């Protein structure tokens, strides 16, 4: 089964509001996490990453929070814009020699005007 | 910097036919991945190359899928014979090296098996 998953398939927010997308993972050996954004007809695009020795990382308008105690990851998008509409995936890497990512099913973020 | 290039963008074939996809990674990237993304799901890793060697192919259905990266640059993924359930987007990604680093994705090839 999936080792990484998202709680909600769809999230609808008002333009200008903050968005929070959640992700749960089950592999306690995971040591690297990435959030990807995927627009229709395109490949996943890197947003932000975080390593297991951190609990928070900030980028431009985005923040990722990692809670290793409950194996939970979240992506916060500030002042959501129409261009943020996409499917968001969290992905994890358990390390070791092979470092292919394990993706969750994704959350579709819908921005309402 | 040019991104990951994939071709074709779309392919429609009948079941039991064969198909091949091509990927050209970002210049200098040693690691190349092929992912399968079924509609409504996240990408699933099929195979990972480090230069021209296979690092992980544990999720590749080897009875029908094959992949190669002979010169450590371009890669091809082949399906023979195709089944209806192979309908998906096939994504190629590359990263500079092994270890925990960001992977850069191409636009993918959308395969429809009828």
């Amino acid at each position: 089964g999936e080792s990484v998953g998202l709680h909600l398939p769809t999230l609808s927010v008002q333009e200008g509001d903050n968005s929070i997308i959640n992700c749960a993972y089950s592999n306690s050996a995971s040591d690297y996490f990435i959030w990807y954004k995927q627009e229709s007809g395109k490949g996943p695009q890197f947003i932000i990453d975080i390593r297991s020795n951190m609990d928070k990382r900030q980028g431009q308008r985005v923040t990722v929070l990692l809670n290793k105690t409950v194996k939970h990851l979240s992506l916060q998008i500030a002042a959501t814009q129409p261009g943020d509409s996409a499917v968001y995936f969290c992905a994890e890497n358990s390390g070791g020699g092979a470092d292919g990512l394990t993706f969750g099913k994704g959350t579709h973020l819908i921005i309402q005007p | 910097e040019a991104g990951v290039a994939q071709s074709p963008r779309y392919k429609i074939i009948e079941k039991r036919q064969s198909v091949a996809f091509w990927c050209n990674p970002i210049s200098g990237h040693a690691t190349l991945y092929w992912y399968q993304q079924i509609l409504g799901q996240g990408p699933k890793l099929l195979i990972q190359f480090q230069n021209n060697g296979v690092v992980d192919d544990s999720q590749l259905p080897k009875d029908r899928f094959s992949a190669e990266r002979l010169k450590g640059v371009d890669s091809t993924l082949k399906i023979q014979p195709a089944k209806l359930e192979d309908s998906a987007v096939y994504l190629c990604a590359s990263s500079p090296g092994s270890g925990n680093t960001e992977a850069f994705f191409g636009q993918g090839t959308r395969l429809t098996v009828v």
Side-chain angles (χ1 to χ4, degrees):
Chain A
E2 299 278 354
S3 69
V4 180
L6 295 169
H7 294 304
L8 294 172
T10 302
L11 176 65
S12 182
V13 298
Q14 292 289 128
E15 182 179 349
D17 287 352
N18 297 334
S19 302
I20 300 176
I21 301 172
N22 295 305
C23 177
Y25 64 95
S26 59
N27 187 350
S28 57
S30 296
D31 56 4
Y32 179 60
F33 304 88
I34 303 181
W35 281 99
Y36 279 94
K37 171 186 180 182
Q38 188 173 28
E39 296 173 287
S40 181
K42 297 184 178 180
Q45 178 186 5
F46 173 88
I47 302 173
I48 192 167
D49 60 1
I50 188 167
R51 301 187 188 279
S52 59
N53 61 353
M54 303 171 67
D55 53 21
K56 180 179 180 179
R57 190 162 188 226
Q58 288 184 293
Q60 186 177 13
R61 283 203 306 119
V62 294
T63 301
V64 56
L65 299 177
L66 175 63
N67 185 331
K68 294 180 287 294
T69 302
V70 295
K71 300 199 200 82
H72 184 268
L73 193 69
S74 69
L75 175 70
Q76 301 177 3
I77 305 173
T80 311
Q81 303 169 357
D84 295 328
S85 290
V87 178
Y88 289 80
F89 294 97
C90 64
E92 54 103 358
N93 180 341
S94 59
D99 56 358
L101 296 168
T102 300
F103 283 79
K105 288 190 174 70
T107 293
H108 185 193
L109 180 63
I110 298 171
I111 312 303
Q112 295 183 341
Chain B
E1 176 182 87
V4 176
Q6 291 188 246
S7 68
R9 284 282 283 130
Y10 306 93
K11 190 73 177 179
I12 301 174
I13 62 171
E14 295 183 349
K15 59 183 179 183
R16 292 186 289 275
Q17 285 188 323
S18 62
V19 64
F21 313 125
W22 174 82
C23 173
N24 180 232
I26 293 173
S27 178
H29 280 194
T31 306
L32 184 147
Y33 313 83
W34 283 102
Y35 286 84
Q36 179 194 58
Q37 186 174 24
I38 292 172
L39 185 65
Q41 298 183 17
K44 184 186 83 170
L45 180 68
L46 292 175
I47 189 167
Q48 176 187 345
F49 292 94
Q50 183 74 17
N51 297 309
N52 61 350
V54 175
V55 175
D56 182 4
D57 64 356
S58 58
Q59 299 188 82
L60 187 73
K62 298 180 187 63
D63 58 334
R64 298 183 301 106
F65 286 64
S66 64
E68 59 183 15
R69 193 185 184 199
L70 293 175
K71 296 183 179 179
V73 181
D74 293 5
S75 176
T76 56
L77 175 69
K78 297 179 182 178
I79 307 175
Q80 182 179 10
K83 293 185 175 181
L84 296 177
E85 59 261 36
D86 298 332
S87 294
V89 175
Y90 291 84
L91 294 161
C92 180
S94 70
S95 66
S98 61
N100 293 336
T101 59
E102 171 192 354
F104 297 82
F105 284 82
Q107 287 195 315
T109 296
R110 180 177 295 278
L111 173 68
T112 302
V113 183
V114 297

